[in-house]
Amino acid sequence: MPKDMAPARDPRHDILFEPVRIGPKTAKNRFYQVPHCNGGGYRDPSAVVEMRRTKAEGGWGVIFTEQTEIHQTSEITPFIEQRIWEDKDIPALARMAEAMKSHGALAGIQLAYSGINGPNLYTREVPLAVSPGPILTFTSDPVQARALDRDDIRDLRRWFRAAFRRSQQAGFDLICLYGAHGFGIFQHFLSRATNQRSDEYGGSLENRARFVREIVEEAREETKGELGITLRLSLHEGGALGFSNAEVRDFIEMHRDLPDLWDLAQGTWEACSGTSRFKEEGAQEELVRGIKALTDKPVVGVGRFTSADAMVRQVRQGILDFIGAARPSIADPFLPKKIEEGRFDDIRECIGCNICVSGDMTGAISRCTQNSAFMEEWRKGWHPERMRPKGASDSVLVVGAGPAGLEAAHILGKRGYHVTLAEAGTVLGGRVARERKLPGLAAWGRVADYRTGQIAPMPNVETYLDSRLGADDVLAMGAQHVAIATGAHWRRDAVARLHLAPIPTDPAMPVFTPDDLMAGEGPTGGRVMIYDDDHFYMGSVLAELLVARGCTVDFVTPAVKAAEWTHNTLEQAIIQRRLMELGVTIHASKAPEAVHDRGVTLGCTWTGRTSDLPCDAVVMVTSRVADDGLYQAMKARQAEWQGAGIASVRLIGDAAAPAPIAWATYAGRRYAEELDMPDRGDAVAFRREIAGLDPGASLLPAG
Ligand code: ADP
Ligand code: SF4
C-alpha cells in the first residue's frame, strides 16, 4: 500500500498489511478473524450481522462466522450458533456475508458437523458419529451416537455439498471445515480417540484422512473452484489416542496442498481460549512452529494477540502467515485499523477474562468486559468507536472511578459532555486497581488503563482523586446530571446463596474478606479456611495468594467442585487442578455453620452431617454489598436537587447491584449512551427479532 494512504503506520508493521492469497481469493491483509461464537447466532441474526460489520469497518482482512451447523442430524443445543440446513437459512447468512465484505474483507463461513459432540436435543434426530459412543459435550447429556455406515457417509457428503452450494449462494468467499476443539467431524475422523473404525475410513492415518480428502475435493467441485477452502484443526489433542501434534504434522506433510489454508487452533477449546490467568499471549507458538515448512499453503494461528510487534515477529520468523484472532477482535474490532494508523494507545486490549465465552456457554448473548458495545451494535445502536454527539444537557458529575464510572466518563467525554469524575481513592480503577495485583489477574488492569488513557487528553473531562464526595458536595457542585458509581464491598458474615442470614461467629476468630486481603491485610501463615459461595474466580485466586503467603489452605464450597461458575469461562478444570497441585484441600458440598474461636463447624449440604475443621483464620468469599449510601443520601434530599441545578441522579454499576466487571462497563456505557435520550417508558430497551411465523403448510400430504 502506498505510504500516503497510511501515513502514520510504523514501517515495521508493513508486513501485517501485505495481501495474502487463499486459493482463488486474496485477503487484503494478514488480520484474520477466526470463527467465534457470540451467544446470538441464529436467534439474533441482525445483532450478529452488525457485530461482524464493525470488524469489516475495523480493517480485518478475513472475517468468519461462528460454527454453522450443516444438517439437522447434528446440532449442539443448548449452544446457539448458526445453521445452514435449508435454503431458507440463506437470507440471514447472505446479509452476514454482505456485512463482512462491506469494507473489502473476505467473508468466511465455518461449516460444522458435530458428530460425537452433537446431542440433537432440539431436532431429536439420532446422532451420527464416526464411531458409536456417548455424546461428548460439556453437559454430559445421556445420549449416545450411532456409527455412520457407508450409506450414511454418502449422505453426509451430500449434506456437505448442499451446505457448500448454499454458502456460495449466500455470497461467502471462504469455507472453513471445522475439525478443531474436539467439536468437528473432521477431527473425529482423524483422531484414533474418536475413530475406531475398521473400514477404509479407519485405521491408518491415510484411511482416517479419507473423509476430509473427499470433502475438500467435493467442496472445490461444488463451488467450481471459486471459493477458498480452509481446514481448521487442533494442533494437539491430548490422551493416549488423541490426534497429537506429531500426527498433525504427519497429516499436513502428507496433504501439504489439500486445503487452501491451514487454520490451526491449539487443542481443546479450553486450551485454545485459555484465560490470561493461565495463558500468555502467543501461547501456541511451540505447537505451530515449523508447520509452515510442511506445506505451501498459508497458515493461521491464534494466541490472543494484541501486540503488533508480537504479530510481526511470528510472521517474520515464518511461524504464521495470518494473525488469527477471536477475542482480540471482540475487545477491539478496530485493532487492524489502529495498528495501521499507529494509534497504539487507542487499542482496547482483550483482558483474557472469557466473559464473552460465558455468553455462549449460558445460552445468553455474549458480553465483552472491554468492548461494552459488543453485540449491542444492532440491538442498541452502539458502536465500538463512534458515539452520538451529546444531547441538550452540558455537565455530568460521575462519582467513583471503577469500571462503571470510568466507562461512563469515557463515553460521556467522547459524546462531548463536560464531565467531572471524582474518586475517593488515590488511583483510578476501583476494583480493577485492586484485583490487578492478585495472582494471575494483572491483565484486569487493562480495563482501567484503556479508559484512563482515553480520558486523559480530553479537555472536557476533569478527574479528581482523593475526593470522597458526600451529598453536600454533590449538591454544591452544580452538575446537571449525577452518576453514582460508588461500587461495593465484600460481606464478612457468610451471607450469599446458601446462608441467607449471618451464621454464629465467635469474635475471637479473625474473619477476613477479599477487600482485606487486597489491602494487604489478613493471615501470613497458619491454617486458613476460605469459604467460597461466590463460585467465580476470587476464591481460588485468594487461595493462591494465601499459599504464596505461607498459609495452609482449606477451600470450602457448597458446590460439588471448586469455582463452579468458571466452567462458563473454560477455567474450572484448570482451577481445580491448580488448587490441588498447590496442596489446597478442597471440601466440596460443605459450608460453615458456625465459626468458633479455634475453627469452624462444617455442614454437609446433602446430609446435614457436621464435622469440625480447625483453623487460625477465616476468609469469606461470599457476596457483596452495594455501596449506595451516597445515592440514598441524595434521594433523601431530592427536594434540594432543583435548587442545586440537578436534573437527575442515577445509580450505576456495582453500587446498583454487584456483578462481574463486564456488567459495570456495560452499566457505564448505558448511562452515557442514554443520557438525554427520550424516556422509552415501559418499552423493551433494545431491538429484538422474533422468529418469522411459518405459513402453516403441513408436512403431511393434503387430505
Ligand atoms: P464498579 O465496578 O461499579 O465500577 P468499583 O467498586 O470498582 O465499582 O468502583 C467504585 C469506586 O468508587 C471506587 O474506586 C471507590 O473508591 C469510589 N467511591 C466510593 N464512594 C465514593 C464517594 N463517595 N466519592 C467518590 N468516590 C467514591
Ligand atoms: Fe477479551 Fe474478556 Fe472481552 Fe472476551 S470478554 S474479548 S476475554 S476482554
Side-chain angles (χ1 to χ4, degrees):
M1 187 181 285
K3 269 250 174 297
D4 57 341
M5 288 178 70
R9 187 159 89 210
D10 184 330
R12 280 181 309 154
H13 302 148
D14 284 354
I15 196 168
L16 299 174
F17 295 90
E18 290 172 353
V20 182
R21 284 187 71 81
I22 306 175
K25 303 286 180 179
T26 301
K28 67 176 179 175
N29 61 34
R30 296 181 189 267
F31 292 91
Y32 192 111
Q33 183 244 275
V34 292
H36 70 72
C37 56
N38 48 69
Y42 60 77
R43 187 195 54 204
D44 298 292
S46 293
V48 186
V49 165
E50 293 313 307
M51 178 270 286
R52 302 284 182 207
R53 192 189 304 279
T54 64
K55 316 247 191 165
E57 231 189 296
W60 295 83
V62 175
I63 304 170
F64 264 93
T65 62
E66 59 272 56
Q67 77 176 76
T68 305
E69 297 164 347
I70 65 152
H71 195 255
Q72 59 175 323
T73 51
S74 193
E75 49 91 10
I76 60 167
T77 300
F79 306 99
I80 301 173
E81 315 298 327
Q82 296 291 342
R83 289 173 176 165
I84 189 163
W85 296 352
E86 303 176 79
D87 286 353
K88 70 180 182 187
D89 289 307
I90 294 175
L93 291 165
R95 203 190 278 187
M96 182 122 68
E98 177 275 318
M100 290 167 166
K101 294 194 289 193
S102 59
H103 290 75
L106 295 180
I109 181 166
Q110 183 185 45
L111 298 183
Y113 192 85
S114 301
I116 202 71
N117 190 245
N120 296 350
L121 301 179
Y122 174 68
T123 62
R124 304 178 177 181
E125 296 289 335
V126 172
L128 295 169
V130 177
S131 291
I135 295 299
L136 305 175
T137 53
F138 291 109
T139 38
S140 303
D141 301 301
V143 178
Q144 296 205 185
R146 135 176 119 65
L148 291 150
D149 65 19
R150 284 200 179 85
D151 289 338
D152 297 319
I153 291 182
R154 261 194 298 279
D155 288 343
L156 181 53
R157 287 164 59 181
R158 195 177 65 251
W159 299 334
F160 264 108
R161 272 189 186 269
F164 298 145
R165 172 181 60 77
R166 291 184 179 120
S167 300
Q168 189 164 26
Q169 266 177 271
F172 289 98
D173 301 301
L174 306 175
I175 287 174
C176 168
L177 303 173
Y178 193 24
H181 302 141
F183 297 162
I185 192 99
F186 301 100
Q187 182 176 1
H188 304 159
F189 268 104
L190 287 166
S191 164
R192 284 176 299 138
T194 42
N195 182 348
Q196 283 117 33
R197 302 176 72 96
S198 52
D199 63 2
E200 68 274 24
Y201 289 97
S204 66
L205 179 55
E206 189 168 4
N207 275 358
R208 281 180 277 134
R210 185 178 308 279
F211 183 73
V212 65
R213 279 198 304 272
E214 289 173 345
I215 292 288
V216 172
E217 199 173 296
E218 287 163 6
R220 291 230 169 80
E221 209 177 276
E222 191 66 37
T223 58
K224 299 172 283 303
E226 291 166 3
L227 268 59
I229 310 298
T230 79
L231 181 57
R232 185 154 221 224
L233 289 180
S234 281
L235 278 162
H236 181 67
E237 186 185 33
L241 297 173
F243 195 47
S244 67
N245 193 244
E247 249 197 324
V248 169
R249 285 168 194 256
D250 289 346
F251 168 71
I252 293 177
E253 201 166 9
M254 282 165 65
H255 302 89
R256 44 193 305 134
D257 293 334
L258 182 67
D260 294 315
L261 170 142
W262 299 97
D263 176 350
L264 302 172
Q266 191 152 339
T268 58
W269 191 23
E270 292 88 327
C272 188
S273 296
T275 55
S276 58
R277 182 174 168 196
F278 300 108
K279 280 238 151 68
E280 297 296 316
E281 181 173 350
Q284 72 168 35
E285 182 169 336
E286 284 317 307
L287 289 172
V288 77
R289 183 187 285 279
I291 287 187
K292 248 180 73 57
L294 307 176
T295 172
D296 303 321
K297 301 298 172 139
V299 171
V300 56
V302 291
R304 224 175 54 248
F305 291 112
T306 52
S307 139
D309 291 340
M311 299 174 193
V312 167
R313 186 180 65 75
Q314 295 243 348
V315 176
R316 283 213 186 286
Q317 293 185 354
I319 300 168
L320 298 177
D321 296 289
F322 283 99
I323 301 302
R327 290 170 296 170
S329 79
I330 292 173
D332 198 340
F334 279 62
L335 180 66
K337 218 177 188 108
K338 289 174 183 175
I339 293 175
E340 184 164 31
E341 293 170 358
R343 292 165 48 210
F344 302 109
D345 292 345
D346 290 340
I347 294 174
R348 203 168 37 239
E349 287 185 288
C350 168
I351 70 166
C353 61
N354 279 4
I355 282 294
C356 49
V357 173
S358 76
D360 186 57
M361 294 291 284
T362 55
I365 202 160
S366 289
R367 305 172 181 250
C368 172
T369 304
Q370 280 285 61
N371 175 10
S372 50
F374 181 58
M375 295 307 285
E376 296 293 9
E377 301 86 349
W378 179 81
R379 296 204 316 170
K380 289 199 160 161
W382 297 358
H383 189 274
E385 299 299 311
R386 284 192 304 275
M387 302 353 153
R388 285 175 304 110
K390 76 174 192 63
S393 330
D394 292 315
S395 59
V396 188
L397 167 66
V398 178
V399 188
L406 278 175
E407 179 72 340
H410 162 223
I411 304 294
L412 289 165
K414 283 196 171 154
R415 289 192 63 194
Y417 289 96
H418 182 87
V419 182
T420 306
L421 175 62
E423 164 56 45
T426 52
V427 287
L428 299 176
R431 61 180 290 184
V432 295
R434 297 188 290 276
E435 292 183 27
R436 72 188 303 172
K437 295 187 191 140
L438 292 172
L441 301 189
W444 268 217
R446 293 174 173 184
V447 174
D449 296 344
Y450 167 71
R451 290 167 179 82
T452 52
Q454 292 294 299
I455 61 179
M458 288 184 192
N460 54 326
V461 179
E462 290 173 77
T463 302
Y464 296 92
L465 289 172
D466 225 348
S467 305
R468 178 173 297 279
L469 303 189
D472 286 338
D473 306 310
V474 174
L475 287 162
M477 288 182 76
Q480 286 168 292
H481 299 282
V482 182
I484 297 188
T486 43
H489 65 273
W490 288 90
R491 295 184 78 117
R492 204 177 290 275
D493 56 7
V495 170
R497 292 172 175 80
L498 187 79
H499 293 305
L500 301 178
I503 58 172
T505 301
D506 187 325
M509 170 65 78
V511 178
F512 300 97
T513 70
D515 294 316
D516 298 329
L517 269 65
M518 287 190 279
E521 297 159 21
T524 52
R527 189 164 179 183
V528 184
M529 182 210 66
I530 295 180
Y531 174 48
D532 182 18
D533 196 14
D534 173 53
H535 310 285
F536 199 12
Y537 56 88
M538 186 56 82
S540 62
V541 166
L542 294 185
E544 284 190 49
L545 178 78
L546 289 169
V547 168
R549 285 187 185 180
C551 303
T552 302
V553 177
D554 289 283
F555 186 97
V556 175
T557 174
V560 294
K561 46 193 170 185
E564 190 172 56
W565 199 80
T566 61
H567 156 78
N568 295 311
T569 54
L570 308 178
E571 293 174 291
Q572 195 284 323
I574 313 169
I575 289 174
Q576 186 103 8
R577 185 167 67 238
R578 167 78 56 98
L579 293 185
M580 292 166 85
E581 282 171 0
L582 285 173
V584 172
T585 307
I586 298 171
H587 305 262
S589 305
K590 298 265 178 5
E593 293 194 347
V595 177
H596 311 292
D597 58 345
R598 290 186 179 181
V600 294
T601 303
L602 294 184
C604 169
T605 54
W606 305 115
T607 64
R609 259 180 235 130
T610 58
S611 54
D612 286 324
L613 181 71
C615 61
D616 306 306
V618 166
V619 176
M620 295 290 185
V621 185
T622 50
S623 61
R624 292 183 290 153
V625 183
D627 290 329
D628 62 353
L630 176 60
Y631 177 73
Q632 299 304 346
M634 287 300 296
K635 284 286 270 191
R637 295 172 69 175
Q638 195 155 356
E640 297 169 56
W641 291 6
Q642 204 180 0
I646 295 174
S648 75
V649 177
R650 286 276 307 280
L651 186 64
I652 62 169
D654 287 341
I661 302 163
W663 276 242
T665 51
Y666 178 83
R669 175 76 179 238
R670 182 170 185 187
Y671 174 79
E673 287 277 355
E674 294 180 1
L675 193 68
D676 284 328
M677 281 225 316
D679 185 359
R680 288 176 50 81
D682 291 342
V684 175
F686 56 91
R687 282 205 280 180
R688 63 191 271 264
E689 277 166 326
I690 53 173
L693 292 180
D694 187 82
S698 167
L699 285 178
L700 300 173

